[in-house]
Amino acid sequence: MSVSEMLNIGMMQGFAGLSLFAVLLLMGLGLAIIFGQMGVINMAHGEFMTIGAYTIYLFSTITENHFPKLVQSYFIFAIIAAFFIAFAVGWFIEWSLIRHLYKRPLDTLLATWGISLGMQQIFRSFIGPKEVSPTLPDWLMGSWSPHEGLDIPINGMFVMALTLVVTGGVLLALYKSRWGLRVRATVANRTMANAIGINTKKTDRLTFAIGCGIAGIAGAAFTTIGSTGPTSGSLYIVDAFLVVTFGGAASLLGTMASAFGIAQMQSISEFFMTGSMARVITLLTIVLILMMRPQGLFASKIRR
Amino acid sequence: MISKLLSSLKTWIDQRGLNGFIILAILLAVVFPLAMDSFRLNLVGKYLTYGFVAIGLVMAWGYGGVLSLGQGVFFGLGGYAMAMFLKLEASDPISTKIQSTPGIPDFMDWNQITALPIWWEPFRHLPFALLAVLVVPTLLAFIISFAMFKRRVGGVYFAIITQAVALILTVLIIGQQGYTGGVNGITDLKTMLGWDTRTNSAKYILYFVTVALLLASIYGCQWIQKSKLGTLLLAMRDKEDRVRFSGYDVAMFKVFAFCLAAFLSAIGGALFTLQVGFMSASFVGIVPSIEMVIFAAVGGRMSLVGAVYGTLLVNFGKTYFSESFPDLWLFLMAALFIGVVMAFPDGLAGLWESHIKGWLARGRAALRKPKNPDAPPSQIVQPDADVMTMQEIGSPPLARSASGSPRVPSGAGMQVSGIQGQSA
């Protein structure tokens, strides 16, 4: 094997890691907002991702059957719809359940696990236990080969671009918008935020819903690299939580760094050993590092 | 003379908080074996092994405020240690002579492994296996909890880490199928030191061993709850900092609670292997681990006896519904998770405390009144005195009472308030 071939394989493996990075980051971003900013453990986060993925599938089926001309462009609208459907479900769940449990984080964990079970069974009963994949538009298919022997899949690049846009959007919203200001104020000091006239209840609900909406987008990204089943989301939930804790719960920058680290470590070690061992090694490393440094990579400076 | 003896026995029972305990003991050791055939009894025996995990969680989560989502790890490790011994006994060279390498477990042979791995070797001896059942899970629990609690990480972070550990162990077991039996697990376990564990009589004996160990564990845990240690655990759960400032090493108490839970789970796992005859990764992972939490939560996270009832109830429900209405079961499970958090956080034991017992006491008082209208006041207050002692039995002094006001334990000497555990 020549050096250039090794380089090509390395780059392609690295790129495969980037796809995983994109899904983990999108999942982690939603969680980081919900868990890091609000302290709510949302075990149903994976199911919000599944909602997003099924939304894409729904749009794909509808366009194929009724508007075959739009097949090339439905995907963009479907992503937006995925966000808003997950957003709406998140809004409803915050209103009906989560808001009663803010003072009991461990109980939120159990309740949202119940939601996750229920949602999985809803998917299974009403959509079907089989895995589905949407028909992707032609421009997402194929690969781009800048030179001989190096193939980079276009859907991977699309997912990366989507992730960058969403991440940028979240950062912008959190640090430049009124909503972001309210969220940061509420996180820093709930009582004071309340006292100066911020409606913290409304802020919480919006924050939770936005986090869920981002999980919906993660689901949309997920459809381009895998097929969706009722339990697809739950496969990523532990990894997503590790991404957030590893990065340092309140830090979005940390979430990005740790998603990148975990995905690349997983992908690169997969090249040397079996997939399951790669996963064991990756998870074990993270857990060990978390034991040594429980506050994560980027610790928040806020005193709790 | 006899009546005096009986009354002193009664005060002893009341003092030790044994009422619920004795009812449970009679139910498990007398009523069930008489009322059920050996198949159902074996099923109950299997559920009772989860009961060990549930009472462990009552101690760690209800009392210590340490929620573990990885109890399946310890249950599984205990079960696997037992299964490894039984498997080695079942795969002697004669009964495995059709294999390409006789004398090693069948799954190793299927995975082209030709020699017994070194770390399997000591499991040929029962004392070592039993020691491993008790020590390995406890040691792992110690390492995890010591590393976390000494750095003052707790609450949800700890829960997430234990969950990750459960995931790691599952992936490892499934991935290394040549050494662990993979998804199928370790199956075809036949005898223990030549004693066939598959016969009906063996199943009866194992059932009673399980019941005896479970009752002993509950008794032991009740003893801990009543001791100063139990009071400290409660105080620590509710106001960690105050206990720390009083000069106690909070971390080590949490480590103890978690190790105790792991220890009990491991016993349950080993008994599970003996009764059911196999062990697989499906008892280790995230889903079974979190289901074990719901056993304890349904029974009442503060009540040891309640946790056993919760385990039995949820598992009977699971068996019944997943046979008759498989779709409905997960919805029911979901409702259980949400309901137990939202509507009755103290589980069955809590419902008993707040509703049924008051009703019973009133009923008893009403029954007594008409019989002897001239009774001295002490007799009329009798039911209330009963309630007081029962409250000390069933729910801990600090559980939220019906009115919601926290009660201070006698002799604790510190004001303890608040409800649930604390985040990091």
Side-chain angles (χ1 to χ4, degrees):
Chain A
M1 204 187 281
S2 69
V3 175
S4 75
E5 268 177 50
M6 285 289 283
L7 201 68
N8 284 346
I9 289 174
M11 281 186 66
M12 282 194 280
Q13 202 69 22
F15 208 84
L18 284 185
S19 297
L20 183 64
F21 161 63
V23 174
L24 280 186
L25 176 55
L26 285 175
M27 283 280 282
L29 264 178
L31 266 189
I33 291 176
I34 294 173
F35 175 54
Q37 312 290 322
M38 301 165 70
V40 170
I41 318 284
N42 184 16
M43 294 302 282
H45 204 69
E47 277 58 45
F48 285 99
M49 181 189 123
T50 320
I51 287 181
Y54 276 130
T55 307
I56 304 283
Y57 174 67
L58 181 76
F59 267 66
S60 145
T61 329
I62 289 175
T63 33
E64 260 189 309
N65 292 337
H66 301 289
F67 314 100
K69 281 180 194 159
L70 296 176
V71 168
Q72 298 305 324
S73 55
Y74 83 91
F75 203 73
I76 304 294
F77 302 106
I79 292 174
I80 296 167
F83 176 84
F84 279 105
I85 290 180
F87 181 92
V89 178
W91 183 281
F92 173 72
I93 284 178
E94 204 279 346
W95 171 79
S96 59
L97 201 68
I98 309 287
R99 68 187 168 120
H100 305 291
L101 300 171
Y102 279 123
K103 293 209 174 80
R104 293 145 62 188
L106 290 178
D107 285 7
T108 335
L109 197 156
L110 293 181
T112 49
W113 180 263
I115 293 173
S116 138
L117 282 182
M119 273 157 88
Q120 279 176 27
Q121 191 54 36
I122 288 174
F123 299 146
R124 211 172 281 131
S125 303
F126 295 102
I127 303 174
K130 271 202 283 187
E131 299 211 331
V132 294
S133 351
T135 323
L136 294 178
D138 293 332
W139 51 267
L140 269 177
M141 302 302 196
S143 60
W144 172 62
S145 39
H147 66 87
E148 189 68 16
L150 180 65
D151 290 312
I152 290 174
I154 290 180
N155 59 9
M157 291 199 292
F158 175 76
V159 169
M160 272 312 300
L162 182 66
T163 309
L164 288 181
V165 170
V166 173
T167 313
V170 169
L171 283 179
L172 214 60
L174 209 51
Y175 290 101
K176 293 284 175 231
S177 75
R178 294 303 280 182
W179 167 73
L181 194 63
R182 282 197 292 266
V183 170
R184 284 180 291 136
T186 312
V187 169
N189 192 331
R190 183 168 295 265
T191 322
M192 273 316 286
N194 233 334
I196 54 168
I198 292 172
N199 188 342
T200 51
K201 283 183 183 163
K202 209 169 140 194
T203 311
D204 283 337
R205 196 161 308 158
L206 192 64
T207 312
F208 189 83
I210 287 177
C212 293
I214 295 171
I217 298 182
F222 178 73
T223 54
T224 64
I225 53 176
S227 52
T228 314
T231 53
S232 300
S234 59
L235 293 180
Y236 285 95
I237 186 71
V238 175
D239 299 65
F241 266 112
L242 283 182
V243 163
V244 177
T245 23
F246 186 50
S251 155
L252 289 186
L253 188 71
T255 306
M256 277 184 259
S258 76
F260 185 79
I262 291 173
Q264 287 302 330
M265 184 165 169
Q266 167 90 27
S267 174
I268 290 170
S269 49
E270 249 170 30
F271 186 66
F272 296 104
M273 51 191 109
T274 58
S276 66
M277 274 319 277
R279 201 159 149 74
V280 169
I281 299 281
T282 313
L283 291 175
L284 205 60
T285 314
I286 300 162
V287 168
L288 286 179
I289 294 178
L290 274 179
M291 280 183 181
M292 301 296 148
R293 195 182 154 79
Q295 69 273 41
L297 292 178
F298 296 79
S300 71
K301 297 286 189 295
I302 304 169
R303 190 147 42 119
R304 305 238 168 216
Chain B
M1 180 63 198
I2 292 176
S3 68
K4 204 173 181 185
L5 204 71
L6 274 179
S7 73
S8 68
L9 187 71
K10 187 177 182 313
T11 35
W12 180 71
I13 286 173
D14 283 349
Q15 270 174 0
R16 301 291 307 159
L18 287 176
N19 261 337
F21 179 77
I22 286 174
I23 294 172
L24 180 73
I26 293 173
L27 188 71
L28 293 183
V30 182
V31 178
F32 280 176
L34 288 178
M36 291 180 183
D37 54 51
S38 70
F39 171 75
R40 298 233 164 246
L41 197 67
N42 186 230
L43 213 57
V44 175
K46 183 177 118 182
Y47 301 158
L48 289 180
T49 60
Y50 299 138
F52 283 93
V53 187
I55 60 171
L57 277 167
V58 168
M59 292 308 285
W61 177 37
Y63 269 76
V66 177
L67 176 58
S68 158
L69 297 181
Q71 288 308 95
V73 168
F74 309 116
F75 185 82
L77 282 177
Y80 267 101
M82 198 71 212
M84 281 162 78
F85 168 74
L86 297 176
K87 186 71 199 170
L88 283 177
E89 186 170 315
S91 33
D92 55 289
I94 300 152
S95 50
T96 54
K97 61 175 182 288
I98 50 162
Q99 289 175 185
S100 48
T101 321
I104 62 169
D106 45 12
F107 58 82
M108 291 190 184
D109 196 56
W110 301 332
N111 286 288
Q112 284 88 41
I113 288 172
T114 51
L116 197 66
I118 289 177
W119 55 277
W120 267 74
E121 207 58 61
F123 284 91
R124 284 190 191 283
H125 311 288
L126 184 60
F128 180 86
L130 289 181
L131 199 68
V133 164
L134 301 180
V135 170
V136 173
T138 317
L139 199 65
L140 178 67
F142 180 80
I143 294 170
I144 296 173
S145 54
F146 189 80
M148 300 286 288
F149 293 140
K150 273 289 173 188
R151 291 183 175 78
R152 297 193 188 178
V153 177
V156 293
Y157 289 89
F158 187 74
I160 290 170
I161 293 289
T162 51
Q163 195 170 41
V165 172
L167 180 67
I168 292 172
L169 194 66
T170 326
V171 176
L172 191 67
I173 288 174
I174 293 176
Q176 296 297 310
Q177 56 172 338
Y179 300 105
T180 59
V183 184
N184 299 325
I186 300 182
T187 53
D188 267 340
L189 308 174
K190 298 185 178 98
T191 56
M192 183 164 97
L193 295 180
W195 177 53
D196 195 333
T197 54
R198 291 163 302 171
T199 58
N200 263 348
S201 66
K203 294 220 155 126
Y204 268 101
I205 294 173
L206 283 173
Y207 173 81
F208 282 110
V209 169
T210 308
V211 169
L213 282 175
L214 185 66
L215 292 175
S217 309
I218 294 178
Y219 193 84
C221 288
Q222 279 185 341
W223 181 76
I224 291 177
Q225 286 181 353
K226 286 198 183 58
S227 68
K228 196 178 170 196
L229 178 62
T231 314
L232 270 170
L233 281 178
L234 270 184
M236 181 190 80
R237 183 200 68 182
D238 289 342
K239 271 277 181 286
E240 191 176 331
D241 283 339
R242 285 199 192 185
V243 180
R244 181 176 291 131
F245 298 156
S246 312
Y248 291 103
D249 188 353
V250 171
M252 286 320 281
F253 286 112
K254 286 183 161 184
V255 170
F256 169 77
F258 186 62
C259 287
L260 179 69
F263 180 78
L264 289 170
S265 308
I267 296 177
L271 286 167
F272 177 91
T273 309
L274 275 171
Q275 294 201 45
V276 184
F278 81 102
M279 188 72 217
S280 83
S282 57
F283 302 101
V284 175
I286 295 171
V287 177
S289 297
I290 209 163
E291 266 180 21
M292 290 164 184
V293 175
I294 211 65
F295 300 159
V298 167
R301 63 185 74 167
M302 298 305 293
S303 163
L304 293 164
V305 175
V308 178
Y309 289 120
T311 313
L312 289 176
L313 200 71
V314 175
N315 277 295
F316 272 126
K318 186 176 181 176
T319 312
Y320 173 70
F321 277 100
S322 52
E323 277 166 10
S324 319
F325 318 95
D327 281 359
L328 213 60
W329 167 244
L330 273 178
F331 282 126
L332 212 69
M333 194 80 183
L336 214 54
F337 269 103
I338 297 168
V340 90
V341 167
M342 302 288 291
F344 49 109
D346 290 327
L348 288 174
L351 287 179
W352 170 260
E353 290 291 324
S354 60
H355 290 82
I356 301 170
K357 222 169 61 190
W359 181 76
L360 276 181
R362 272 198 303 280
R364 261 155 67 193
L367 272 178
R368 270 178 207 186
K369 254 183 202 167
K371 270 184 193 165
N372 39 349
D374 304 327
S378 70
Q379 269 200 314
I380 297 172
V381 214
Q382 184 65 31
D384 283 12
D386 268 5
V387 171
M388 275 311 290
T389 47
M390 290 278 278
Q391 269 169 352
E392 278 163 31
I393 303 157
S395 90
L398 285 182
R400 270 167 296 162
S401 63
S403 61
S405 64
R407 270 167 280 155
V408 181
S410 54
M414 59 181 81
Q415 169 78 43
V416 187
S417 62
I419 308 161
Q420 286 304 310
Q422 54 293 308
S423 60

